[in-house]
Amino acid sequence: MVERLSFQDIIFRLQTYWAGHGCAILQGYDAPVGAGTFHPATFLRSLDPGPWRCAYVQPSRRPADGRYGENPNRLNIHHQFQVLIKPNPPDIQALYRGSLEALGLDLKKHDLRFVEDDWESPTLGAWGLGWEVWLDGMEVTQYTYFQQVGGIELDDIPAELTYGLERLAMYLQDVEDVYELTWVGRQGHEGAIAYGHIFKANELEQAADNFDTVLAGAQVGGSEDLFHGFVMWEKEAKRLVGARLPLAAYDCVMSASHTFNMLQARGAISVAERAGYIRRVRELACACAVLYRETSRMKLVDRRAELGR
Amino acid sequence: MAELFIEIGCEELPARFVVSTMEGFAASMAKLLGPLASTAPRSWATPRRIAVAFSDVQAETPRVERLVTGPPVAAAFKDGVPGPAAIAFAGKMGVGVDALQRVAGPKGEVIAAVRMEGGERLVDLVGTGLEAAILGIPFKKTMRWGTRREQFPRPIQYVCAVLDGVRIPATVCGQDTVATSIGHWLWFPEPFVVVSAAQWERALFERDVVADIATRRARLVRLLTEAAAAMGSDLNIDEALADEVTNLVEKPTVIVGEFDSGLLSLPPRLLVESMKVNQRYFPLYRDGALTNQFLVATNNPHGDAALIARGNARVLAARFHDAKFFFGEDAKKPLVEHGKRLSGMLWLREVKGADGRALTMLQRQAMVAEAGAGLAAVCGADPDRTRAAGLLCKSDLPTLMVGEFPELQGHVGRKLLEDVEHVDARLALAVEEHYHPRFAGDSIPTSAEGAALSLAERITLLDAAFLAGHAPKGGGDSLALRRAAGGVVAVVLGGMGHLSSATVPQLFSAAGVLGSDELTEFVLARLKALLSGEGVPTDVVEAIAATGSTSIGDIAARARAFGALAEGGQMAAIRVTFRRVAGLVKQNAGEGVPLQELDGAALEAVGRALRDAVVSIPASGRVEEQLASLVALRPLVDAYFDGVMVMAEEPGSRAARLGLLRGIVARFSTLADFSRLSTG
């Protein structure tokens, strides 16, 4: 590799590339989520009538994957670069390959493969078919044609491309440890800022929060409050669905889902109870989706009238 | 004669669907063409294309003249002038009224017209029917794309349809057909013109696509074999993996990869399964042991081999990094210590102990250990070693390693016992093997202790679930009890120790569970399903089971012996003859002189011959001997039926004749209940 892109250069390149193909470049959503799919720009906009194109970086929290900043490959928070294009254009696969070339990859040297992967999010009532895209055996992108979102069969089909930025960057920068990635500047040069410098302390603290009480064998200190938190977000989401405010309600669904992930990381939810919690989140997500599908097709003036404005 | 060639170009199909989609498409097209295609099609498939060619199709269906009759002449013509009925009929037939003929019908003279039929053109048939033929292929899982409503496993990119090199106009998923194809997407993205199937296949080969599955697989296997030989390693090729990889690439190219040899201290099953299942690599072995080298089939025939190999090695390093950390942590404590945490894990919510609370995995482990010790004798196992292994068999569940790789349960326990604690290897093996068979067709335990624990695990689960009222009903089987019962059958048929002669209730009793007739039937139902799957006729299996035997080994031995007769074509005659014997006996229950009291004078010569033959059959014998007797007896029985009328009017004769048949049924009562045989 001639050129070693910094982490943020990779983001810039992808943003520029996809902006060039009509995507609105958004910011990651300001709520803790497990994946870029949760972002309303993907989850709710998939249900919109008509075309939609966007791209954004979504910091994604997987509490169970935290490793105190000690594991070179696993993180509590990693970054997904998410592209959603609806309806998918016929040449979307070629567009995707073009995005890799925009990162300086000469595909003629590498082995790029599309390996079957049926994607499903039981908490979002969503599923799709597609592939995990392998670059020299490494999964660098999750590529999905959504079929159903929020329990609703979609009219036009969006293609969702989710790049795992850390993995991609480790490959492009040729480092074995995620914390050695260069976020900005040139590796080893003055002024360069390393990934570890930015995120390592947070990884340590988040993992300590998620695991230590469990490992000490004590009754988990924060779990009771988290359970209450889950119920609170659930109640709040239901109230807002009742008030016909799907966007606001969906914020609470994301919070409920994240709270569930925290409880899981702490081992506070038994295998038997797990399905029940997933169902509860799904029911909320589906209720938001159904309502959003209705309100997003209303004229703004009618919505204002409905809400007394 | 012309050649019809059609190719569906699509985005990467799931490897497991490639063959079925190809076959489904060929069948679908053959159905569309009907008599226009006189020979079987040739098919090709890669992840990105499905193609079919019919080498000698007719351009149109043969034209034939057919005389079609209409209404009676009397109704059609009035005074020789055509009426409305005649005009309508002529219109329908597409002829002028003056072309109508008069022919004699069964009820008098009717009008008729000659119609030209056939002449349906292939291009029209394909033009209108191609889309339905493509979408009508049976698929397991399909999707939509873009704004289209049609469903296919992955988006269709083009459909090439040519008749002798000329495009057949048609529309598929909103796109017009083309007369071109595309080679390997990376190296040859430019379309090329398709003239014939042979030219297409050759052109693809020049464009880095091996379209024929068998050729592609052969190339893959050859390259793998050569690479392994060059490394001085053994491939021990996994055929199913080779099938899958064949359909993951359009032109396989093999590259050698290598991972840090320090990782070889990890449980080998983890390494092998990660390589095969997650990465589709082919592990390499030397002297029976796993090496740190592997082969990977890439889809880029001209790529940078070193770069690609390096990337693939990195994936494994990342994947195994966690595992190495976990296994290291787990190895700090003996397995028995890990097992203590089983008290915090529940077995099944459905199964409660005497205190009304769901059993913990610790209680479950003890249950398996005790049942296993009870079953040790019949399996030829050492009861103490069985119990000791049983008391550790679930203890790896709380380890970090199994938490991360649940499919390694049992294997991790074994590796910790072997590599870290250095306990008796047979004990360690039993810990792993008690999970076997994990699915239908999986390997069964190789050790007697493993077999005892495997049976213990399954029998106690079945008994507890049935007692708790969770016997599977209909299609539902959330506790996977059918699989458990199938496991019992598989292990017993393995024939360890005295298992072959044990009855199901004896196994229950040895395991220390009560069991029930319902549960015995449930287990035997899996045996029946297995035997039917092996090709033993269902009625034969039922006839054998109806003798009341509950020994899995005994029923299977008899069924397989009968199955061999069926394969040899001898069953049909046996069915007819002995079902008739059993039927007469059953219809006249209670009638007939017992065989030992039967006076030869009451029988005719054919009867006496039959009686002597029946009496000389050994009362008990091996299955094969009994079957041989049965086969030998059949002509005598047939001769008897031919020679005498069993249901004679005269009571004495009838009693004697029925008595002889009763004697036959009694003699074979432990072999099969002939009345269950079907002759239909």
Side-chain angles (χ1 to χ4, degrees):
Chain A
M1 263 150 276
V2 186
E3 186 187 10
R4 293 213 170 150
L5 297 179
S6 71
F7 200 97
Q8 67 184 28
D9 282 336
I10 293 171
I11 294 173
F12 298 155
R13 292 271 183 108
L14 288 174
Q15 285 179 337
T16 307
Y17 178 83
W18 287 109
H21 288 95
C23 289
I25 304 301
L26 306 177
Q27 302 305 313
Y29 204 62
D30 63 336
V33 290
T37 309
F38 278 82
H39 196 306
T42 289
F43 179 75
L44 294 176
R45 291 285 178 179
S46 289
L47 299 160
D48 271 0
W52 170 247
R53 292 182 174 213
C54 72
Y56 51 88
V57 176
Q58 182 63 56
S60 303
R61 295 183 181 231
R62 304 268 168 93
D65 284 352
R67 292 288 182 272
Y68 301 88
E70 292 166 10
N71 184 306
N73 298 294
R74 279 217 181 178
L75 297 162
N76 179 15
I77 298 180
H78 73 289
H79 296 79
Q80 295 186 341
F81 190 91
Q82 168 95 357
V83 179
L84 190 87
I85 301 189
K86 174 172 84 79
N88 75 264
D91 60 344
I92 178 72
Q93 245 193 356
L95 288 183
Y96 167 71
R97 290 186 210 123
S99 76
L100 296 181
E101 283 164 346
L103 295 174
L105 283 166
D106 178 358
L107 295 182
K108 291 197 165 170
K109 288 186 177 162
H110 295 272
D111 180 33
L112 189 74
R113 273 197 272 169
F114 293 77
V115 181
E116 176 192 13
D117 190 31
D118 300 347
W119 174 85
E120 189 183 4
S121 169
T123 44
L124 289 178
W127 70 273
L129 298 188
W131 309 277
E132 37 183 74
V133 184
W134 287 9
L135 177 64
D136 301 336
M138 178 174 46
E139 183 190 350
V140 288
T141 306
Q142 179 82 39
Y143 181 139
T144 308
Y145 293 101
F146 283 163
Q147 303 293 302
Q148 196 182 81
V149 165
I152 297 170
E153 290 289 331
L154 297 176
D155 300 327
D156 292 352
I157 299 301
E160 181 202 53
L161 306 170
T162 305
Y163 304 73
L165 283 176
E166 279 80 358
R167 241 189 249 183
L168 197 54
M170 284 167 75
Y171 195 73
L172 292 173
Q173 294 186 15
D174 195 22
V175 300
E176 308 279 335
D177 183 341
V178 67
Y179 297 105
E180 286 171 16
L181 284 172
T182 305
W183 187 277
V184 59
R186 288 183 61 197
Q187 207 171 359
H189 286 67
E190 199 183 343
I193 301 179
Y195 188 96
H197 180 73
I198 307 176
F199 296 113
K200 207 165 190 172
N202 187 52
E203 286 295 319
L204 174 63
E205 277 197 27
Q206 299 286 355
D209 174 31
N210 287 325
F211 301 129
D212 283 4
T213 41
V214 181
L215 294 182
Q219 199 55 40
V220 184
S223 289
E224 273 314 301
D225 289 340
L226 281 180
F227 276 118
H228 291 311
F230 181 87
V231 173
M232 191 270 282
W233 289 121
E234 184 183 40
K235 238 165 100 179
E236 204 46 13
K238 284 180 179 166
R239 180 182 72 77
L240 290 165
V241 167
R244 292 181 55 80
L245 297 171
L247 293 164
Y250 183 64
D251 277 1
C252 303
V253 178
M254 285 183 274
S255 296
S257 174
H258 176 61
T259 311
F260 163 69
N261 288 344
M262 303 259 288
L263 283 164
Q264 265 222 299
R266 290 165 192 223
I269 292 178
S270 72
V271 177
E273 292 167 319
R274 194 169 166 266
Y277 277 92
I278 290 175
R279 180 181 47 77
R280 282 161 75 178
V281 178
R282 181 173 61 244
E283 283 171 3
L284 296 176
C286 290
C288 290
V290 169
L291 185 58
Y292 176 81
R293 199 169 181 281
E294 183 196 332
T295 58
S296 64
R297 282 161 173 73
M298 288 170 69
K299 289 195 182 105
L300 189 59
V301 53
D302 294 334
R303 273 295 276 162
R304 290 182 64 85
E306 183 187 357
L307 299 174
R309 304 303 301 176
Chain B
M1 287 296 180
E3 183 196 66
L4 174 70
F5 173 79
I6 299 173
E7 178 195 23
I8 309 168
C10 51
E11 297 178 5
E12 280 75 358
L13 292 169
R16 62 200 170 103
F17 294 163
V18 169
V19 172
S20 61
T21 305
M22 176 183 81
E23 289 170 351
F25 183 44
S28 195
M29 284 308 298
K31 199 172 153 205
L32 173 66
L33 296 176
L36 288 179
S38 49
T39 55
R42 247 205 96 185
S43 318
W44 300 261
T46 78
R48 288 180 65 86
R49 65 198 79 231
I50 300 289
V52 63
F54 292 84
S55 58
D56 51 356
V57 289
Q58 287 167 342
E60 58 176 49
T61 52
R63 284 173 184 275
V64 285
E65 287 186 356
R66 195 158 79 87
L67 191 67
V68 181
T69 55
V73 172
F77 288 87
K78 200 155 197 171
D79 306 329
V81 180
I87 293 165
F89 178 70
K92 200 172 103 191
M93 302 305 297
V95 298
V97 176
D98 48 357
L100 290 176
Q101 305 177 11
R102 298 174 178 216
V103 296
K107 289 178 187 167
E109 218 178 11
V110 295
I111 58 169
V114 172
R115 186 164 68 183
M116 291 302 291
E117 292 195 344
E120 215 175 347
R121 298 193 325 145
L122 180 132
V123 286
D124 297 333
L125 200 65
V126 173
T128 53
L130 181 58
E131 181 173 53
I134 289 173
L135 300 176
I137 302 170
F139 300 115
K140 290 194 191 73
K141 213 163 189 182
T142 56
M143 55 165 280
R144 294 193 292 117
W145 61 95
T147 55
R148 305 301 310 172
R149 315 309 296 174
E150 298 87 0
Q151 306 234 347
F152 203 72
R154 288 296 182 274
I156 293 176
Q157 293 194 317
Y158 64 87
V159 174
C160 167
V162 289
L163 182 64
D164 272 348
V166 178
R167 182 179 85 93
I168 299 179
T171 307
V172 179
C173 300
Q175 286 192 80
D176 288 339
T177 49
V178 293
T180 55
S181 180
I182 298 176
H184 192 289
W185 65 264
L186 179 61
W187 294 96
F188 298 95
E190 291 305 316
F192 65 90
V193 173
V194 176
V195 178
S196 70
Q199 168 263 347
W200 168 85
E201 188 173 10
R202 202 166 50 244
L204 279 184
F205 190 77
E206 288 159 3
R207 289 166 175 78
D208 287 333
V209 174
V210 182
D212 179 63
I213 293 179
T215 309
R216 198 162 63 246
R217 193 183 194 282
R219 176 187 158 94
L220 170 70
V221 173
R222 177 174 55 80
L223 293 177
L224 289 171
T225 309
E226 285 170 4
M231 311 291 297
S233 298
D234 301 318
L235 183 58
N236 300 347
I237 193 162
D238 179 332
E239 300 288 348
L241 183 64
D243 287 340
E244 186 188 1
V245 171
T246 296
N247 290 323
L248 271 178
V249 295
E250 293 213 279
K251 183 176 183 184
T253 304
V254 169
I255 285 176
V256 183
E258 192 173 305
F259 59 88
D260 176 8
S261 60
L263 294 168
L264 286 173
S265 62
L266 282 167
R269 224 173 83 189
L270 167 74
L271 300 170
V272 170
E273 285 182 15
S274 287
M275 280 191 271
K276 285 185 180 177
V277 179
N278 301 113
Q279 295 298 131
R280 281 80 162 187
Y281 297 160
F282 295 84
L284 291 174
Y285 304 83
R286 215 164 289 154
D287 303 324
L290 189 67
T291 71
N292 66 328
Q293 284 161 333
F294 58 88
L295 300 177
V296 50
T298 82
N299 192 33
N300 183 352
H302 317 292
D304 181 336
L307 189 70
I308 296 172
R310 201 153 156 249
N312 281 281
R314 286 173 66 112
V315 189
L316 279 189
R319 194 176 277 283
F320 293 150
H321 191 280
D322 252 8
K324 204 176 174 206
F325 170 77
F326 289 148
F327 197 61
E329 288 293 303
D330 289 337
K332 289 177 181 168
K333 283 194 295 192
L335 188 58
V336 65
E337 282 300 313
H338 289 292
K340 286 181 179 165
R341 289 181 57 203
L342 290 172
S343 62
M345 300 169 78
L346 295 185
W347 178 32
L348 297 169
R349 280 207 295 189
E350 292 85 348
V351 178
K352 299 189 168 56
D355 57 359
R357 296 171 61 168
L359 295 185
T360 68
M361 281 308 292
L362 194 63
Q363 290 169 306
R364 166 68 175 147
Q365 180 175 255
M367 180 198 288
V368 174
E370 275 319 302
L375 284 156
V378 69
C379 296
D382 176 71
D384 293 334
R385 191 187 293 117
T386 305
R387 184 183 285 107
L391 286 172
L392 290 169
C393 72
K394 304 292 181 190
S395 294
D396 65 358
L397 291 181
T399 60
L400 294 170
M401 199 65 181
V402 174
E404 191 67 14
F405 306 99
E407 69 278 10
L408 293 181
Q409 61 180 8
H411 187 61
V412 171
R414 174 188 172 187
K415 294 309 287 180
L416 287 173
L417 288 171
E418 276 179 358
D419 297 358
V420 183
E421 300 179 46
H422 307 291
V423 304
D424 173 5
R426 274 192 293 176
L427 190 156
L429 182 62
V431 167
E432 174 166 3
E433 287 194 332
H434 94 282
Y435 282 111
H436 285 243
R438 295 160 296 175
F439 45 85
D442 190 22
S443 57
I444 58 170
T446 58
S447 68
E449 286 79 11
L453 289 174
S454 169
L455 288 175
E457 136 104 5
R458 285 155 183 79
I459 288 172
T460 50
L461 166 66
L462 289 167
D463 188 62
F466 269 63
L467 271 181
H470 290 283
K473 291 188 180 61
D477 183 12
S478 59
L479 299 177
L481 300 180
R482 289 194 182 92
R483 191 170 65 199
V488 171
V489 169
V491 173
V492 172
L493 289 179
M496 195 80 76
H498 314 292
L499 282 174
S500 297
S501 54
T503 67
V504 174
Q506 280 167 356
L507 293 175
F508 289 165
S509 161
V513 305
L514 210 50
S516 64
D517 291 346
E518 187 197 3
L519 187 50
T520 302
E521 273 310 306
F522 184 75
V523 174
L524 293 179
R526 299 331 301 159
L527 172 64
K528 291 178 193 171
L530 176 82
L531 292 168
S532 298
E534 286 178 7
V536 182
T538 314
D539 65 316
V540 171
V541 176
E542 288 301 333
I544 293 166
T547 60
S549 171
T550 58
S551 160
I552 291 169
D554 165 45
I555 293 173
R558 283 191 269 156
R560 285 166 178 170
F562 270 108
L565 279 189
E567 254 177 50
Q570 299 182 67
M571 258 327 276
I574 288 177
R575 276 202 179 90
V576 172
T577 301
F578 289 97
R579 192 169 187 279
R580 189 168 169 200
V581 171
L584 282 166
V585 170
K586 209 169 200 174
Q587 285 156 22
N588 303 285
E591 274 194 71
V593 182
L595 195 61
Q596 59 273 24
E597 296 167 21
L598 197 56
D599 180 4
L603 295 167
E604 292 72 12
V606 278
R608 280 196 296 275
L610 181 57
R611 187 200 59 172
D612 294 346
V614 173
V615 170
S616 69
I617 295 172
S620 64
R622 292 177 359 111
V623 173
E624 287 75 11
E625 291 164 4
Q626 290 193 47
L627 269 184
S629 305
L630 188 73
V631 170
L633 200 63
R634 188 187 57 80
L636 295 176
V637 180
D638 288 345
Y640 181 64
F641 280 135
D642 289 343
V644 304
M645 160 92 168
V646 177
M647 298 307 289
E649 289 291 329
E650 200 273 306
S653 296
R654 193 167 73 211
R657 290 168 187 177
L658 277 171
L660 183 48
L661 298 184
R662 257 180 68 185
I664 295 172
V665 169
R667 212 25 83 105
F668 293 106
S669 64
T670 57
L671 187 63
D673 177 350
F674 297 133
S675 70
R676 303 286 182 119
L677 292 176
S678 94
T679 49

